[in-house]
Amino acid sequence: MPLRVLLIALMFLAAPLAAQDRAAVESQFRTWLEQTVWPRARERGVSRATFERSFAGVTLNWDLPDLVPPGTTPRTPDRQTQAEFGSPGAYFNRGSIDGATAVGREMARRHAASLAAAEKATGVPGHIVLGIWGRESGYGRVAIPHNAFRVLGTKGFMSTRAAYFTDELVAALTIAQGGHAPGGALKSSWAGALGQPQFMPSNFRLYAADGDGDGRADIWTSEADTIASIATYLQRHGWVAGRDWGFEVRVPDAVSCTLEGPDQGRPIAQWAAMGIERVSGRPFPANELAGEGFLLMPAGRGGPAFIVTPNFYVLKDYNMSDLYALFVGHVGDRIAYGSGDFAAPWGQVGGLYRSDVARMQRALERMGHDVGGADGLPGFKTRRSIGRWQEAAGRPATCFPEAAMKSALTP
């Protein structure tokens, strides 16, 4: 799972428990497995043997984020202990971009037939599949270290999203019952995601596909099945065949950054008529002009800007992060077309404590702005709300939180 999700989870940390208290919680965990999880698993066709084998030796993982042990309540970490919110540009570090591109080109050659077959079946271009595959598991080269039943059991038993993870735990048990994981090993990320596409267990049940024709969907060891599964996921989430994901653009000063967002779309021809141009100097493709496009400025005026298509938001369905979807599209373009870096640099934005951003968000909410929740993360609703406040105050709109705003917004 991506950095954004982990940062959100770290907002909710429970106070540490003494060793004797942890022992009591471990006992409650075993009771919960028997009284809550086992009946649900049994209803889904999971045998007692599979259940016991899955939880043999499993204890709670106290190192996971987002935990709320019984008898405690979530708390927001102190200002001094929380990380600063970094520049969006840090997500596109040189090593990650170059590594994903170089290996992705190798994979494009090695798996050309599987990528072509997946594109024919789903309409999803192979280079987009490669972008996701590279980001999620380094094309299957990144070790996936955790016991899925320990992770999902812990988070189902004691986290702020316990119901969600309990559902995923039951889904994981059905995967074990079906013998889908080679050798019976069910390893996951810290959030319970499985295999090379990093599917949550429920998504495996819905979207895992057989790409090599052997009659089973193996997202752990089969590259062809991994490719087919990612493409199937995107197709079923609405990928529009024949459309791009988006284009880096130059946004004139006369076009407000407050026009950003998936709820403010207009035909790409209209964006062009407003003076927005591709940084490449080429016109927007003719087949895109009548289609809906959306302004994306992930660092406000302090970084690259984009006109994205509905396919960008399909990528976000894979992982709810603007930066994730942008990374996937960017790496995919580099693999397929030899594209270079973004034309506009990432400015020196970020570096604020999340508590500071959250206070700004709450102040904007009191003014009537919809910031998308006071979570300390500058999503598109927060960015454009800042821009609208700046414009109303007669300030140049930058659409990104800055240190100088703290005193003005939260006196």
Side-chain angles (χ1 to χ4, degrees):
M1 302 290 283
L3 179 60
R4 175 181 169 86
V5 176
L6 180 58
L7 287 173
I8 292 172
L10 287 173
M11 288 185 69
F12 302 98
L13 300 175
L17 295 179
Q20 61 270 28
D21 294 329
R22 287 194 175 189
V25 173
E26 291 281 359
S27 178
Q28 293 177 54
F29 172 57
R30 302 306 303 190
T31 300
W32 175 78
L33 289 175
E34 286 293 334
Q35 296 182 355
T36 299
V37 178
W38 165 238
R40 290 185 57 184
R42 182 177 55 205
E43 289 176 1
R44 295 281 300 274
V46 176
S47 70
R48 185 67 192 184
T50 296
F51 181 82
E52 292 183 354
R53 184 167 57 249
S54 298
F55 290 108
V58 168
T59 59
L60 293 168
N61 185 339
W62 294 87
D63 295 327
L64 295 174
D66 194 29
L67 300 185
V68 188
T72 69
T73 56
R75 67 179 179 87
T76 301
D78 295 335
R79 180 181 188 278
Q80 291 80 7
T81 62
Q82 64 176 316
E84 293 178 336
F85 182 80
S87 166
Y91 198 89
F92 301 88
N93 67 80
R94 182 85 276 149
S96 294
I97 291 289
D98 288 350
T101 300
V103 180
R105 288 172 180 160
E106 175 189 340
M107 292 296 175
R109 293 188 294 269
R110 184 182 302 178
H111 301 292
S114 294
L115 290 162
E119 182 168 357
K120 182 178 180 180
T122 65
V124 179
H127 63 275
I128 294 296
V129 172
L130 289 168
I132 288 180
W133 188 14
R135 187 62 184 174
E136 291 294 339
S137 65
Y139 307 99
R141 300 182 179 192
V142 173
I144 300 174
H146 297 286
N147 179 317
F149 295 108
R150 189 180 188 209
V151 168
L152 294 169
T154 299
K155 295 176 80 67
F157 175 64
M158 56 174 193
S159 78
T160 56
R161 300 177 67 198
Y164 166 77
F165 284 105
T166 300
D167 289 345
E168 294 296 339
L169 175 60
V170 174
L173 286 165
T174 67
I175 291 172
Q177 180 66 35
H180 296 287
L186 209 62
K187 297 292 185 180
S188 77
S189 71
W190 64 268
L194 308 174
Q196 296 189 45
Q198 284 291 272
F199 279 175
M200 293 302 290
S202 60
N203 283 338
F204 173 85
R205 307 294 299 181
L206 292 170
Y207 309 116
D210 175 16
D212 56 19
D214 67 354
R216 59 192 300 269
D218 174 8
I219 62 171
W220 293 270
T221 65
S222 170
E223 290 86 354
D225 290 4
T226 294
I227 289 166
S229 298
I230 293 171
T232 298
Y233 183 101
L234 296 177
Q235 177 201 36
R236 294 186 185 171
H237 281 78
W239 184 272
V240 181
R243 293 207 68 183
D244 210 317
W245 67 268
F247 311 90
E248 187 183 358
V249 297
R250 294 188 182 90
V251 179
D253 292 341
V255 177
S256 174
C257 53
T258 65
L259 295 177
E260 181 184 9
D263 53 352
Q264 299 192 99
R266 61 186 71 195
I268 288 180
Q270 288 189 19
W271 291 113
M274 295 166 66
I276 292 179
E277 300 176 333
R278 294 177 65 184
V279 297
S280 66
R282 296 189 297 272
F284 291 102
N287 69 301
E288 295 281 7
L289 292 174
E292 194 169 25
F294 312 88
L295 181 62
L296 173 72
M297 302 180 75
R301 291 281 182 183
F306 307 86
I307 294 295
V308 298
T309 77
N311 285 340
F312 177 85
Y313 295 101
V314 175
L315 296 177
K316 278 193 68 175
D317 283 337
Y318 208 99
N319 183 297
M320 289 303 296
S321 162
D322 286 339
L323 298 181
Y324 174 92
L326 188 56
F327 184 99
V328 166
H330 180 55
V331 167
D333 286 353
R334 292 170 71 100
I335 292 169
Y337 311 124
S339 305
D341 294 336
F342 296 129
W346 296 95
Q348 296 300 311
V349 296
L352 295 175
Y353 285 107
R354 286 184 59 184
S355 56
D356 290 332
V357 177
R359 277 195 289 272
M360 293 182 196
Q361 290 170 321
R362 287 190 288 270
L364 289 165
E365 285 178 331
R366 289 192 292 271
M367 298 177 193
H369 293 281
D370 177 9
V371 300
D375 59 2
L377 297 170
F380 77 88
K381 288 186 176 181
T382 294
R383 297 194 295 265
R384 70 188 186 192
S385 293
I386 287 172
R388 289 167 180 168
W389 167 75
Q390 290 171 317
E391 290 178 347
R395 301 165 178 256
T398 63
C399 294
F400 205 80
E402 304 165 0
M405 297 175 188
K406 288 193 292 185
S407 58
L409 271 173
T410 57

